[in-house]
Amino acid sequence: MKKENNLTRRSFLKTSAVAGAVGVIGTGSAGFLTSCSGGGKEGNVPLREPGTYYIPELPDLATDGKELKAGVVGCGGRGSGAAMNFLNAANGVTIVALGDVFQDRVDGLAEKLKNEKNIDIPADKRFVGLDAYKQVIDSDIDVLIDCTPPFFRPEHFRYAVEKNKHSFLEKPICVDAAGYRTIVAAARQAQAKNLSVVTGTQRHHQRAYVESYKQIMNGAIGEITGGTVYWNQSMLWYRDRQPQWNDFEFMVRDWVNWKWLSGDHIVEQHVHNIDVFTWFSGLKPVSAVGFGSRQRRVTGDQYDNFSIDFTMENGIHMHSMCRQIDGCANNVSEFIQGTKGSWSSNGGHVIKDLAGNVIWQYDSEAEKTSFQQTDPYTLEHVNLINCIRGNNPIEQASETAVSNMAGIMGREAAYTGQQVTWDAMTASPLDYTPADLNIGKMDMSGFTVPVPGSGK
């Protein structure tokens, strides 16, 4: 093992996924990063015509242009990482403001910026508290980098769009139906204002996935007939409660184990894999049924395993499997079956024909010799900065909202033991906001592990 709401579930019980964000920036990194043959051979019928779906340009470094100033909200490990990714993605970018609910997190990132990038964040630009996000956004920034626990992200995004700021939103971007609707509404406003929004579903900026997507769009596996997505790993980190921590501080410092803060790991982590299927297929789920349980988790009120059957809008099925338990078989990958063959990210991004012969494989060694920057966490910021500087907006929040809601549907299906539909879930009053949310003592009696079939 590693360390590091009282909600009644009886309250809830043809729009396509946005497959291309906003237009096409280019044809993407070179298709020569392949091996074997046949992935794009003559005779394939494209699923979508080139130019009708989004392929990012993924150079090593963003093109030089106007200076961009960013503010970071959520200064823990992921926020610190995203800050460095942003700074490594381009020349002429900087960070000018930091915000978090904890002073030590703000000061820790400030120290890292000073030591590693020689960037000084003055005391009056280090904001602490539940409203720190407003103070950061109201500072003289161009870009919000939001890496708070997921519960807080919808409201932060809404406010950033209101204030005309571009955004990088770490995934997931919401934990419940109320947050989903906030995200969707804010995304529409971002589009109307020509703001760029990139989310932390970094596989969209990972060359192996982008090249695989192009192969599938070119018809390499035929029509998609189904798939399975996995995130099975060892137990995630947790925090033991310290005597000096109040209820709020304990939960937020241990946030990946509390469903109101993280959305549970099917949403917080497994959204990556679910997102690959919704992205590649262009489909959203219409219903979900499945199960999960809590076997060995130490803190919080979440499950540690889920198995969900999603029915997609054209009737095909996607099976979703995720687990965070030590001592078990691990697998983090995606598999998609088509009428002519299959694709899997497991073992190097491989396409096989129906007889099991490899007909295409991504050439990761060619990527290493052709590019200096191969980190998708940095490449997503390269693309964001290029879209801002080139006045060619990208808006990923709408697309990510689809895979995010799929995770929410799967979670609620497992929690309740019922079939959950897209229409019911997106219209649901489901809201994980604690009634007494504050930085202090909270009523902990409502944070209980769900029991399927109990109606609670």
Side-chain angles (χ1 to χ4, degrees):
M1 294 183 181
K2 297 183 285 290
K3 288 192 178 181
E4 214 42 18
N5 104 43
N6 187 10
L7 182 64
T8 300
R9 304 194 177 275
R10 295 186 188 276
S11 61
F12 80 92
L13 233 176
K14 146 180 159 203
T15 307
S16 296
V18 180
V22 184
V24 174
I25 289 178
T27 57
S29 54
F32 64 80
L33 298 178
T34 64
S35 61
C36 302
S37 63
K41 66 183 179 181
E42 293 183 8
N44 287 343
V45 178
L47 297 188
R48 299 180 65 185
E49 291 299 324
T52 66
Y53 50 87
Y54 181 75
I55 298 295
E57 292 286 357
L58 298 175
D60 289 326
L61 198 68
T63 303
D64 289 347
K66 66 178 180 179
E67 182 185 31
L68 293 175
K69 293 175 285 187
V72 180
V73 180
C75 299
R78 183 75 278 271
S80 297
M84 294 300 162
N85 298 143
F86 176 78
L87 295 170
N88 291 335
N91 298 314
V93 298
T94 191
I95 292 171
V96 299
L98 305 176
D100 200 286
V101 293
F102 300 129
Q103 185 73 56
D104 64 292
R105 295 296 196 197
V106 173
D107 292 342
L109 179 51
E111 182 179 1
K112 183 179 179 71
L113 290 170
K114 176 61 177 175
N115 292 340
E116 298 185 22
K117 296 293 184 179
N118 199 29
I119 294 174
D120 280 307
I121 306 296
D124 64 352
K125 294 299 182 182
R126 303 182 190 187
F127 304 109
V128 177
L130 284 172
D131 63 348
Y133 74 98
K134 289 186 176 180
Q135 295 168 296
V136 170
I137 293 168
D138 289 340
S139 300
D140 184 22
I141 68 169
D142 305 294
V143 181
L144 169 67
I145 299 174
D146 196 290
C147 297
T148 61
F151 166 80
F152 298 104
R153 292 173 193 160
E155 177 56 26
H156 295 183
F157 179 43
R158 184 203 65 76
Y159 192 75
V161 172
E162 178 184 315
K163 297 297 183 177
N164 301 311
K165 310 296 185 182
H166 305 286
S167 297
F168 172 77
L169 306 175
E170 192 47 85
K171 59 77 218 165
I173 52 179
C174 58
V175 301
D176 53 29
Y180 165 83
R181 290 190 292 271
T182 297
I183 288 289
V184 170
R188 291 194 187 108
Q189 287 299 307
Q191 290 181 23
K193 292 184 172 188
N194 291 321
L195 296 172
S196 281
V197 185
V198 164
T199 64
T201 47
Q202 77 276 355
R203 284 161 171 78
H204 287 254
H205 293 94
Q206 188 168 342
R207 294 188 184 100
Y209 279 94
V210 173
E211 292 299 319
S212 295
Y213 175 68
K214 289 165 63 177
Q215 291 290 325
I216 290 174
M217 292 303 98
N218 287 339
I221 68 170
E223 295 289 335
I224 293 173
T225 58
T228 307
V229 295
Y230 311 84
W231 196 307
N232 296 332
Q233 69 155 69
S234 301
M235 182 181 184
L236 209 60
W237 59 268
Y238 68 96
R239 303 278 186 257
D240 283 329
R241 183 164 185 165
Q242 302 301 306
Q244 69 273 23
W245 291 352
N246 59 42
D247 298 332
F248 176 88
E249 182 168 3
F250 170 46
M251 287 189 285
V252 173
R253 290 194 185 275
D254 187 48
W255 66 270
V256 294
N257 298 289
W258 298 88
K259 56 183 183 281
W260 76 275
L261 285 162
S262 80
D264 212 318
H265 65 101
I266 188 175
V267 175
E268 195 280 323
Q269 184 180 67
H270 189 41
V271 67
H272 281 300
N273 317 104
I274 294 171
D275 178 76
V276 168
F277 191 86
T278 58
W279 168 28
F280 280 34
S281 70
L283 302 169
K284 65 177 178 62
V286 295
S287 66
V289 65
F291 51 85
S293 66
R294 180 188 179 97
Q295 299 294 326
R296 296 173 61 185
R297 212 170 196 93
V298 177
T299 62
D301 58 355
Q302 297 183 173
Y303 284 0
D304 53 23
N305 63 93
F306 290 88
S307 178
I308 309 297
D309 175 37
F310 289 96
T311 302
M312 309 305 288
E313 56 190 338
N314 66 350
I316 68 174
H317 285 249
M318 171 184 69
H319 181 214
S320 155
M321 182 192 301
C322 58
R323 181 182 59 223
Q324 294 178 343
I325 299 177
D326 288 344
C328 299
N330 295 333
N331 183 2
V332 181
S333 68
E334 304 85 22
F335 172 86
I336 297 178
Q337 182 65 52
T339 54
K340 294 178 58 178
S342 64
W343 166 83
S344 176
S345 63
N346 192 11
H349 296 266
V350 174
I351 292 177
K352 297 180 179 180
D353 63 20
L354 293 177
N357 301 306
V358 175
I359 59 172
W360 178 86
Q361 182 168 10
Y362 182 71
D363 194 337
S364 58
E365 292 304 313
E367 179 185 10
K368 293 174 186 177
T369 59
S370 302
F371 296 95
Q372 294 180 331
Q373 182 58 260
T374 59
D375 175 23
Y377 293 93
T378 299
L379 289 173
E380 59 192 358
H381 289 274
V382 169
N383 194 35
L384 172 62
I385 293 165
N386 272 341
C387 289
I388 295 170
R389 285 178 169 171
N391 194 28
N392 196 353
I394 180 175
E395 192 287 286
Q396 279 195 313
S398 296
E399 185 174 13
T400 304
V402 173
S403 51
N404 206 145
M405 175 50 68
I408 291 170
M409 288 171 59
R411 179 194 68 206
E412 296 301 319
Y415 281 3
T416 62
Q418 305 300 316
Q419 184 183 60
V420 174
T421 67
W422 175 274
D423 290 343
M425 196 70 256
T426 54
S428 165
L430 186 69
D431 186 342
Y432 273 15
T433 307
D436 58 345
L437 178 59
N438 70 95
I439 301 180
K441 181 176 176 54
M442 296 171 62
D443 180 7
M444 300 288 286
S445 65
F447 300 107
T448 57
V449 179
V451 179
S454 69
K456 297 180 180 179

